[in-house]
Amino acid sequence: MFFKKKNKSEDQPQIVQSVEESPLTLLRNRVSEADLPQTARDAVSRELEKLEKSDPGIAEYSVGLNYIELALALPWNSSTIGNLELSRARKVLDNRHCGLDQVKQRILEFLAAKTLRESISQTILLVDDEEIARINMNHVLSKEGYTCLCASNGIEALKFLSEENVDLIVSDLKMDKMDGLELLAEVNRSYPEIPVIMVTGFATVDSAVKALKSGAAHYLGKPINLNELKKTVAEVLSQKHTSEIGKGPILCFSGPPGTGKTSVGRAIAEALQLQFVRTSMAGLRDEAELRGHRRTYVGAMPGRIITELKRTGVNNPVFMLDEIDKIGQDFRGDPASVMLEVLDPEQNVRFMDHYLDIPFNLSRIMFIATANDISQLPGPLLDRMEIVEFSGYTEKEKAEIASRFIIPRQLKAAGLDREPITFEPDAINKVIVEYTKESGLRNLEREISTICRKLALTKLSTQEEQLNKVIDCEAVTTLLGPRKFLRDEASQWLPKVGITTGLVWSATGGEIISVETAAMQGSGNLMLTGSLGEVLQESAKAALSLIRSRSAEFGIANDHFFKEIDIHIHFPAGSISKDGPSAGVTIFAALLSLLTRRPARRDIAMTGEMTLSGRVLPVSGIREKLLAAQRSGITRVFLPKANKEEYDALPVDVTEGVQVELIDDIDEIISHVLIHPEHNQVKQDNKEERTPVENTADAQSGLSSP
């Protein structure tokens, strides 16, 4: 019997223990131990009280449970201590990327400003009505390298704040004239970026809670432990330093695909020693994807921002919003409007996710956006970002990137990294010139990957001795087949009447484009084809009006000429939409060539916006357009004179092999682009190229060479 009673007594604590460790009890313990801000703690406590009164079998029970789990998992106060060592950041960027000098320079400027700010001695304002307390704190903190200011009450402290730059305030709670809580309220209202450590001799729970609820960063009791004071001051300033890393302008990387926008963002995170988060905005149409669903809906979830922060576990990552220019819009809302709140430093301090329904501070995050075409972005959103242009790579940069990064990576992916395989420089250049035609590097990597895969197949299918260990130009042709692009095709184009070559910019980089014109008997109509936008159509009309207004000067003497013919202007590749002002000069040259029957040189490319009086206005994308001219074998380019400063700032690699001439009036290109008909050889070549259709059109329109 005694043995049985002993067993019963042993069973009783086990029953009590199982009750104490119920899921809700464990959840309450987690809530009490969690480092939550007061607003989050109040919301979680209310939700927990509802769960304790609810039946676990109802649907709302699991919704409330998931909500509490989310609130506990979010990094409200968990941060990564970043590293602003400038030399290390420069080394990381140089090792990860070749070229992009302007981009890396802008990033280093951003980091240099942060580093210089941190090198300045931080200022601490000590507010206490006891002189001995101020002396002791001043002595201890000054030895740590801080600059200390002393005030006997809140009124004196506010005077210091209006005159000095203060990084931290250590204030007593009970003081005459203005106590610590009143000072804290005024600091939160006028200087919210300055943290406050509250100190009081009445170290009660109520006073501590009241101070923390009012916005104090920390709480210390009197008599104050000076070692604890040093430790607390260092922690608070470190948290402020960490949160300030991400503050500043929102960077938006803009440029063609494959130019390294995403990888540069990852390198920035590595340079700062912060975590990197990337989420794609492409095709996003429902604003709830960003802001979250309200918990009243079935299957409600938090938005992408909150979800990624939960997964990351820190509140200050480098957060990349990829393809931000491809955000959609439909009846489910406008996600771009939500981005205004996310990216605006004045609003994201209290970002409201509909599911969380508690303000969350996003100001510590370093946001970086990427876009191919910033013209697709709404104006208010674009205004909140600083644009960093990613231009295309030169051929030398592509060759170096292929040697240092792409070839080793693809050899490893094909299982050939231990083989003594080498690519000759001429072979790499052959792949770049004859098998790719792009601003970025993606097609180059695909072609090199193809070579590596075929080498791997050769190794497995044949004897080891038959594996080609040196890849030369002949091996490239064998492995990749006939060349896909002709490097010198522009130099072989013969002059033709009514066809000129222009330089344009697109989301994939710079490109060359031909403007073709034709004249036929009609009634004075102007036809425009090639999926042209409104700006291009207006440029064509302005060019034609300029020629008509100066027809006698250009040798078009027939007064009824324009009433008797129709003019057709066509941009090839009609399936691709085209718009922009930079083709005005090219259209003018093509029309003038057509109407005067003077052949136009097609190996000369031009770009510029033209006014009705003939002035040439500046355009954008000069670097990309010159790179497109290099890729196509264009040796002579006309640019607006107003773009001279931008042209002068370009590196030698971009302008190498291209003769650039700057113009500010349309008359300056006529003698260079249009060939005089007295040139017998050109005239003969032009006659041989002209088709019977062209000759018939001349006869019908009554045109004759002047």
Side-chain angles (χ1 to χ4, degrees):
M1 295 293 294
F2 179 76
F3 182 76
K4 292 181 179 179
K5 289 182 178 179
K6 184 177 181 180
N7 287 342
K8 290 181 179 180
S9 63
E10 291 174 353
D11 292 342
Q12 187 65 29
Q14 295 177 1
I15 297 174
V16 174
Q17 183 71 14
S18 63
V19 172
E20 292 178 352
E21 294 182 353
S22 64
L24 287 182
T25 303
L26 292 175
L27 196 59
R28 182 173 289 279
N29 293 337
R30 289 175 58 193
V31 171
S32 61
E33 296 172 0
D35 186 15
L36 300 176
Q38 194 59 41
T39 53
R41 186 176 298 278
D42 293 342
V44 170
S45 298
R46 289 194 301 268
E47 196 67 32
L48 191 57
E49 292 176 0
K50 293 180 183 178
L51 293 183
E52 292 174 341
K53 301 175 183 178
S54 302
D55 183 358
I58 63 176
E60 287 77 4
Y61 187 88
S62 61
V63 173
L65 199 62
N66 293 336
Y67 175 80
I68 296 176
E69 292 287 351
L70 172 67
L72 293 177
L74 286 177
W76 299 95
N77 298 302
S78 177
S79 303
T80 302
I81 304 300
N83 182 6
L84 284 179
E85 185 179 349
L86 192 61
S87 59
R88 181 182 180 277
R90 186 190 301 273
K91 184 178 179 180
V92 169
L93 291 174
D94 289 339
N95 289 340
R96 296 293 182 272
H97 292 85
C98 177
L100 302 177
D101 294 333
Q102 293 182 346
V103 175
K104 290 190 285 189
Q105 180 68 20
R106 172 63 186 88
I107 295 169
L108 291 174
E109 291 171 0
F110 172 81
L111 299 181
K114 301 290 184 182
T115 304
L116 187 61
R117 173 66 180 86
E118 294 304 318
S119 65
I120 301 174
S121 176
Q122 294 174 302
T123 302
I124 301 176
L125 177 59
L126 305 174
V127 188
D128 200 314
D129 55 358
E130 296 182 11
E131 184 177 2
I132 187 63
R134 298 197 302 270
I135 293 175
N136 290 337
M137 291 190 293
N138 186 9
H139 175 72
V140 171
L141 296 177
S142 297
K143 290 176 63 177
E144 296 297 316
Y146 302 114
T147 301
C148 296
L149 305 173
C150 297
S152 59
N153 55 55
I155 296 178
E156 292 184 16
L158 291 178
K159 184 177 179 181
F160 275 115
L161 290 175
S162 63
E163 299 173 352
E164 303 286 344
N165 292 323
V166 176
D167 298 293
L168 174 66
I169 299 175
V170 180
S171 175
D172 191 14
L173 186 63
K174 301 294 183 180
M175 296 180 294
D176 294 335
K177 297 183 180 179
M178 178 182 285
D179 63 14
L181 289 179
E182 294 175 330
L183 173 62
L184 178 61
E186 186 63 32
V187 170
N188 289 337
R189 181 166 54 253
S190 303
Y191 309 96
E193 71 282 358
I194 303 178
V196 179
I197 298 176
M198 198 62 66
V199 181
T200 180
F202 302 96
T204 63
V205 176
D206 292 340
S207 59
V209 171
K210 189 174 182 181
L212 293 175
K213 279 187 174 181
S214 300
H218 210 281
Y219 182 90
L220 295 174
K222 282 188 177 180
I224 190 170
N225 186 323
L226 296 179
N227 289 329
E228 185 179 3
L229 174 65
K230 290 191 297 183
K231 180 181 177 182
T232 303
V233 167
E235 289 178 354
V236 173
L237 288 176
S238 176
Q239 291 179 358
K240 182 184 178 185
H241 158 69
T242 300
S243 65
E244 287 182 346
I245 289 180
K247 290 184 177 179
I250 307 300
L251 300 180
C252 179
F253 296 161
S254 171
T259 50
K261 298 185 292 296
T262 302
S263 56
V264 165
R266 188 176 287 107
I268 292 175
E270 182 180 351
L272 294 175
Q273 294 185 340
L274 298 175
Q275 293 201 37
F276 180 75
V277 179
R278 174 190 172 274
T279 183
S280 177
M281 300 286 105
L284 187 66
R285 295 182 178 275
D286 189 354
E287 68 176 38
E289 289 279 339
L290 287 174
R291 199 190 290 274
H293 306 81
R294 299 192 184 276
R295 282 181 290 151
T296 53
Y297 295 106
V298 177
M301 296 185 300
R304 291 191 186 183
I305 306 295
I306 295 298
T307 301
E308 291 294 338
L309 291 177
K310 174 189 173 184
R311 182 182 60 82
T312 307
V314 293
N315 60 11
N316 65 330
V318 175
F319 203 118
M320 174 159 283
L321 303 167
D322 220 355
E323 308 289 357
I324 197 172
D325 58 325
K326 297 176 179 60
I327 292 180
Q329 180 179 354
D330 61 9
F331 64 93
R332 289 168 291 188
D334 183 8
S337 299
V338 181
M339 297 306 302
L340 299 179
E341 182 180 355
V342 172
L343 299 179
D344 193 333
E346 299 298 328
Q347 301 182 50
N348 62 13
V349 178
R350 297 178 61 84
F351 174 71
M352 289 292 295
D353 184 275
H354 286 161
Y355 183 89
L356 187 62
D357 204 24
I358 308 171
F360 194 93
N361 187 3
L362 301 181
S363 63
R364 298 183 178 92
I365 300 174
M366 182 177 179
F367 284 106
I368 299 176
T370 70
N372 296 134
D373 185 5
I374 60 174
S375 65
Q376 303 296 324
L377 295 176
L381 180 59
L382 189 62
D383 182 61
R384 285 162 171 79
M385 299 185 294
E386 179 177 339
I387 306 301
V388 179
E389 295 286 348
F390 276 63
S391 302
Y393 294 99
T394 65
E395 292 181 4
K396 289 184 178 180
E397 290 173 342
K398 288 182 179 180
E400 185 175 354
I401 293 171
S403 301
R404 291 176 53 187
F405 301 103
I406 298 178
I407 292 176
R409 181 167 60 242
Q410 293 303 326
L411 287 175
K412 183 177 181 180
L416 299 172
D417 52 318
R418 297 186 180 181
E419 299 289 337
I421 297 176
T422 58
F423 282 69
E424 291 185 349
D426 291 342
I428 298 176
N429 291 331
K430 183 179 180 66
V431 175
I432 294 172
V433 172
E434 298 183 1
Y435 292 89
T436 65
K437 192 175 182 181
E438 57 176 347
S439 297
L441 300 167
R442 288 180 180 167
N443 287 329
L444 176 60
E445 185 152 7
R446 291 189 187 103
E447 298 297 335
I448 294 177
S449 175
T450 300
I451 294 176
C452 295
R453 290 197 306 270
K454 291 189 175 184
L455 291 176
L457 179 61
T458 302
K459 180 180 179 180
L460 293 178
S461 304
T462 62
Q463 298 295 328
E464 179 74 20
E465 293 76 12
Q466 297 182 7
L467 180 63
N468 192 355
K469 302 297 179 64
V470 178
I471 307 301
D472 53 13
C473 293
E474 184 178 352
V476 169
T477 304
T478 303
L479 294 170
L480 295 181
R483 60 182 180 179
K484 300 178 181 178
F485 301 99
L486 301 177
R487 177 64 173 85
D488 298 326
E489 56 182 346
S491 62
Q492 301 174 1
W493 291 345
L494 296 176
K496 297 189 73 174
V497 173
I499 302 178
T500 53
T501 304
L503 295 173
V504 297
W505 181 92
S506 69
T508 57
E511 297 179 4
I512 66 168
I513 190 170
S514 295
V515 177
E516 300 182 357
T517 59
M520 62 210 77
Q521 189 172 0
S523 56
N525 295 325
L526 175 64
M527 293 177 288
L528 303 170
T529 57
S531 299
L532 308 184
E534 293 183 2
V535 177
L536 263 179
Q537 294 182 27
E538 291 179 356
S539 297
K541 294 175 182 178
L544 181 59
S545 296
L546 173 62
I547 294 175
R548 292 183 62 182
S549 65
R550 299 169 57 183
S551 59
E553 179 182 344
F554 293 138
I556 309 172
N558 189 350
D559 296 336
H560 301 286
F561 170 74
F562 292 100
K563 297 180 180 180
E564 298 172 354
I565 66 166
D566 289 341
I567 296 176
H568 188 171
I569 301 176
H570 177 68
F571 283 68
S575 61
I576 302 175
S577 299
K578 311 171 189 68
D579 203 3
S582 60
V585 173
T586 313
I587 296 173
F588 168 81
L591 286 174
L592 191 60
S593 170
L594 172 73
L595 300 178
T596 60
R597 306 311 304 168
R598 294 174 62 180
R601 294 185 56 178
R602 300 169 63 197
D603 59 342
I604 295 180
M606 62 204 84
T607 182
E609 180 180 2
M610 189 198 70
T611 68
L612 197 58
S613 61
R615 291 189 302 118
V616 179
L617 302 182
V619 293
S620 59
I622 297 298
R623 177 188 170 96
E624 289 84 354
K625 292 174 180 178
L626 289 178
L627 290 177
Q630 282 185 343
R631 291 194 299 268
S632 303
I634 299 291
T635 58
R636 195 174 182 187
V637 173
F638 284 90
L639 299 179
K641 186 172 290 186
N643 288 111
K644 183 179 186 304
E645 294 183 359
E646 184 178 355
Y647 166 72
D648 292 339
L650 294 175
V652 178
D653 290 351
V654 178
T655 59
E656 186 177 8
V658 179
Q659 178 185 352
V660 176
E661 300 188 25
L662 303 175
I663 59 173
D664 58 4
D665 192 272
I666 203 69
D667 294 332
E668 299 178 34
I669 70 169
I670 297 176
S671 60
H672 298 284
V673 177
L674 303 186
I675 300 175
H676 199 278
E678 293 179 359
H679 195 295
N680 295 330
Q681 182 63 40
V682 173
K683 187 175 182 180
Q684 182 64 31
D685 291 340
N686 190 51
K687 288 182 179 179
E688 292 176 357
E689 286 186 358
R690 291 173 61 184
T691 63
V693 175
E694 290 176 326
N695 290 324
T696 303
D698 289 350
Q700 291 177 343
S701 60
L703 294 178
S704 60
S705 299

